[in-house]
């Protein structure tokens, strides 16, 4: 079992819809959770992080964390074609460095 | 403010050749990292340095060596390149406190023939 699992996609949503990206992790001791966006040929850039159970909102983005179920999700409201990218979930298990999932490719159709 | 700077951006090597990937950060971060990214595999940690003078192996260290030259610079060396090392390499830095995010360089695309 991978430490951090994501559906590779592609996840295709129409412009203006809500995109829901999910991530599960195996280490119950994980403390912090990050979502990165990566455009093709570019480096990952941080969208947001969350470390408490519940929801955290930042503009059109909402991160949701459920430690009991070991999943973290990212919702993108009013999706735009410019949101088309690969979204990487990363988990800080406290051991050394962030562990990344393989990413979910999101396609927003105009 | 340049952030994390990696050189070179592209490199083609023949099997058995050696090279060093350079990385420098100007954010005064204590921790620095080298990841590789392969299609469908996500980012995998090669080596990291929690502070100046220390280095530790990550998930995929075989075939690589690193040097934390000073607080700013963290280099990755391939002593004898192999086709399996064809990948995109990212250097990153962080403050290494809880919840501190990684800041990535622009990456080095390496092809080994």
């Amino acid at each position: 079992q991978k430490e951090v699992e994501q559906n590779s996609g592609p996840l295709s949503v129409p412009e203006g819809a809500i995109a829901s990206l999910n991530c599960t992790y195996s280490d119950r001791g994980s403390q912090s959770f990050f979502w990165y966006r990566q455009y093709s040929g570019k480096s990952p850039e941080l969208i947001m992080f969350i470390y408490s159970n519940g929801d955290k909102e930042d503009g059109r983005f909402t991160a949701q964390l459920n430690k009991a179920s070991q999943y973290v999700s990212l919702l993108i409201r009013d999706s735009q074609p410019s949101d088309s990218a690969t979204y990487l979930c990363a988990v800080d298990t406290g051991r050394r460095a962030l562990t990344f999932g393989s990413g979910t490719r999101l396609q927003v159709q105009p | 403010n340049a952030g994390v700077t990696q050189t070179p951006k592209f490199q083609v090597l023949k099997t058995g050749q050696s090279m060093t990937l350079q990385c420098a950060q100007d954010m005064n971060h204590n921790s620095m990292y080298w990841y590789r990214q392969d299609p469908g595999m996500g980012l995998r940690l090669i080596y990291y340095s929690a502070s100046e003078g220390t280095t530790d192996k990550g998930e995929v260290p075989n075939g690589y060596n690193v040097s934390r030259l000073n607080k700013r610079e963290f280099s990755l060396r391939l002593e004898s390149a192999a086709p399996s090392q064809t990948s995109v390499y990212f250097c990153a830095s962080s403050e290494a406190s809880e919840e501190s995010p990684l800041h990535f360089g622009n990456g080095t695309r390496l092809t080994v023939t």
Side-chain angles (χ1 to χ4, degrees):
Chain A
Q1 181 189 6
K2 287 185 179 179
E3 291 190 62
V4 181
E5 299 246 25
Q6 294 181 258
N7 188 317
S8 61
L11 172 66
S12 185
V13 300
E15 184 174 355
I18 296 175
S20 178
L21 303 157
N22 299 313
C23 171
T24 59
Y25 59 94
S26 60
D27 189 334
R28 283 195 171 275
S30 300
Q31 296 296 319
S32 305
F33 307 85
F34 301 80
W35 282 100
Y36 285 83
R37 177 177 62 199
Q38 186 176 27
Y39 292 112
S40 181
K42 302 295 186 182
S43 57
E45 54 180 337
L46 180 71
I47 297 175
M48 58 192 310
F49 68 89
I50 186 169
Y51 57 89
S52 298
N53 274 327
D55 295 359
K56 180 180 179 181
E57 188 174 316
D58 183 1
R60 295 187 297 113
F61 299 97
T62 299
Q64 299 175 318
L65 175 61
N66 184 324
K67 289 187 176 181
S69 300
Q70 294 176 247
Y71 83 79
V72 57
S73 62
L74 179 71
L75 301 178
I76 306 175
R77 289 182 300 281
D78 188 23
S79 296
Q80 302 297 309
S82 59
D83 294 325
S84 298
T86 297
Y87 289 79
L88 302 169
C89 172
V91 176
D92 184 354
T93 62
R95 282 180 280 132
R96 43 191 187 189
L98 294 186
T99 301
F100 285 82
S102 56
T104 298
R105 189 157 62 95
L106 173 66
Q107 295 177 339
V108 181
Q109 307 296 334
Chain B
N1 188 344
V4 180
T5 302
Q6 287 184 239
T7 56
K9 292 184 179 179
F10 301 94
Q11 184 71 50
V12 179
L13 293 177
K14 295 185 187 303
T15 298
Q17 288 185 319
S18 63
M19 77 161 295
T20 299
L21 282 65
Q22 306 287 352
C23 176
Q25 53 94 7
D26 62 3
M27 294 175 283
N28 202 36
H29 287 165
N30 284 316
S31 297
M32 298 185 72
Y33 312 82
W34 278 104
Y35 286 87
R36 61 177 287 174
Q37 186 174 37
D38 303 293
M41 300 289 289
L43 288 153
R44 292 184 292 168
L45 182 67
I46 305 171
Y47 270 92
Y48 72 105
S49 171
S51 61
E52 185 179 353
T54 68
T55 61
D56 286 284
K57 295 179 180 179
E59 183 185 354
V60 288
N62 291 343
Y64 305 95
N65 286 302
V66 290
S67 295
R68 183 72 184 268
L69 304 169
N70 48 55
K71 191 171 185 179
R72 290 186 64 247
E73 298 172 286
F74 188 38
S75 62
L76 178 72
R77 183 161 178 83
L78 287 71
E79 290 291 353
S80 179
S84 61
Q85 294 178 304
T86 293
S87 188
V88 179
Y89 291 85
F90 287 102
C91 177
S93 69
S94 77
E95 293 178 355
S97 61
E98 197 171 278
E99 302 132 25
S100 60
L102 295 178
H103 299 262
F104 286 90
N106 289 330
T108 296
R109 188 173 296 273
L110 174 67
T111 302
V112 183
T113 61

